[in-house]
Amino acid sequence: MINVEAVYWLIGILFVAWASLIAADASHPRRWGSSAFWGLLGLCFFYSTWVQAGTAPGWILGIAVLILVVLASTGLLGHGKHRTSTGPQREAFAKRFGNKLFIPALTLPLVTVILVLAAPVLNIGGTPLLDPKNTTLVALAIGAVAAVVVALLILKPKNPATPIFESRRILESIGWAALLPQMLTTLGILFTKAGVGTAVGALASGLLPKGSLIAGVLVYCIGMFLFTVLMGNGFAAFPIMTAAIGWPVLVQTFHGDPAIIFAIGMLAGFCGTLCTPMAANFNLVPSALLEMKNKYGVITAQVGTAIPLLAVNIALMYFLAFH
């Protein structure tokens, strides 16, 4: 069986490989800090296997995360001088290969979907080929490897290690922000375990006008929006606001339709995603990859859509979820 641990080890190998390249780059202005950051992250993927199995203590990972935070917050990460193609060379490649350049990008989702759909019948001796609990993630990893192989076959680079060099360049362009989604997801879990949702619910119940449906809808949707702005993740905001307002007030008190309330509530949270740098994978990473002068340019372009869309979601919930 190809299980999720194999995927994590593959990711760990990649991070260690990038860290090794950075450490070997004498011209890198922050090579030791950057190498330590990405190398430690790669080692965490290996070590987590034993933590998950219960044979190693988890607190070591906690210390590793704190070290990563220190390395990132003290300016010890930087960009090296990468061996890559020039602008004119890329234009020449684009003219030479044309639409063939889209084939590797399309290979990844195509292989992933095929494997996910075929997973129930892919087995050897009655054992599933792909981890049943993490089929999509395993299929995505296989799709990524397949996309790299297809790209090598089409582009035929002189150095077969080019994908490692180019992926290192992209990784350093993104920087520490590449880890922000995982950090924020963990933060959401901690908030939920700490009872933040219960505390917010107690506070809101004292402020909400008794019997006011529109006030409950406004607090829930705007709360989803604001918590997502703060945490950068609608999925992290959802359990907090749902435990505080969504379930006890909108469902139990006003007898709203849970499916409609929670679906539109998530959409209200996603409006916050459009407005926050905390959602780094959506709003900061594209700016870094496109080398935009304004690193918040994506957010600036999206705010004009996010605010009216939040108002629309509030109206949809009020008129559709309650009978």
Side-chain angles (χ1 to χ4, degrees):
M1 180 191 297
I2 304 175
N3 59 33
V4 72
E5 292 302 320
V7 175
Y8 291 145
W9 276 62
L10 173 61
I11 295 172
I13 290 171
L14 288 172
F15 277 119
V16 171
W18 293 323
S20 300
L21 289 174
I22 294 171
D25 184 0
S27 65
H28 197 296
R30 299 282 190 277
R31 67 165 168 165
W32 297 121
S34 296
S35 176
F37 183 89
W38 301 115
L40 179 59
L41 179 61
L43 293 177
C44 286
F45 278 92
F46 301 142
Y47 183 79
S48 297
T49 297
W50 291 286
V51 174
Q52 183 67 24
T55 58
W59 59 266
I60 293 179
L61 286 177
I63 293 177
V65 170
L66 293 177
I67 294 174
L68 292 177
V69 171
V70 170
L71 290 172
S73 60
T74 53
L76 294 178
L77 272 66
H79 296 196
K81 295 181 179 180
H82 304 284
R83 295 176 293 174
T84 186
S85 55
T86 63
Q89 287 176 327
R90 293 178 186 179
E91 291 181 8
F93 290 150
K95 292 178 181 179
R96 175 183 172 187
F97 294 103
N99 290 333
K100 290 182 179 179
L101 293 173
F102 291 101
I103 295 177
L106 294 174
T107 298
L108 192 157
L110 182 62
V111 171
T112 302
V113 170
I114 291 174
L115 288 176
V116 169
L117 295 177
V121 297
L122 293 176
N123 59 79
I124 299 176
T127 301
L129 182 61
L130 306 182
D131 185 351
K133 296 181 179 179
N134 299 279
T135 303
T136 303
L137 183 58
V138 174
L140 179 63
I142 296 173
V145 173
V148 172
V149 172
V150 169
L152 290 173
L153 293 175
I154 293 175
L155 302 177
K156 297 181 175 63
K158 295 180 180 179
N159 188 346
T162 295
I164 300 295
F165 297 135
E166 287 297 310
S167 55
R168 172 210 161 185
R169 177 180 64 83
I170 294 174
L171 182 70
E172 288 201 278
S173 296
I174 299 171
W176 60 264
L179 300 188
L180 197 53
Q182 289 83 353
M183 295 287 191
L184 293 173
T185 299
T186 304
L187 180 63
I189 296 172
L190 290 175
F191 273 25
T192 302
K193 294 288 186 181
V196 173
T198 303
V200 172
L203 178 63
S205 62
L207 298 176
L208 282 174
K210 297 295 183 181
S212 176
L213 173 60
I214 185 61
V217 172
L218 284 170
V219 170
Y220 183 55
C221 291
I222 295 175
M224 279 293 300
F225 176 88
L226 293 176
F227 264 95
T228 301
V229 168
L230 292 173
M231 304 176 71
N233 192 320
F235 292 99
F238 181 77
I240 295 173
M241 288 308 301
T242 298
I245 305 295
W247 182 259
V249 176
L250 298 182
V251 175
Q252 291 187 320
T253 301
F254 291 106
H255 308 291
D257 186 321
I260 298 175
I261 290 172
F262 299 148
I264 296 177
M266 283 299 298
L267 291 176
F270 294 154
C271 293
T273 301
L274 299 176
C275 302
T276 177
M278 298 296 283
N281 51 330
F282 291 106
N283 300 331
L284 295 186
V285 170
S287 299
L289 293 179
L290 296 173
E291 299 179 351
M292 297 172 61
K293 293 181 179 179
N294 179 8
K295 66 179 181 179
Y296 301 118
V298 173
I299 297 174
T300 303
Q302 293 174 163
V303 169
T305 299
I307 303 303
L309 187 58
L310 175 62
V312 170
N313 284 323
I314 292 172
L316 288 174
M317 183 180 295
Y318 182 77
F319 289 109
L320 298 180
F322 305 91
H323 305 288

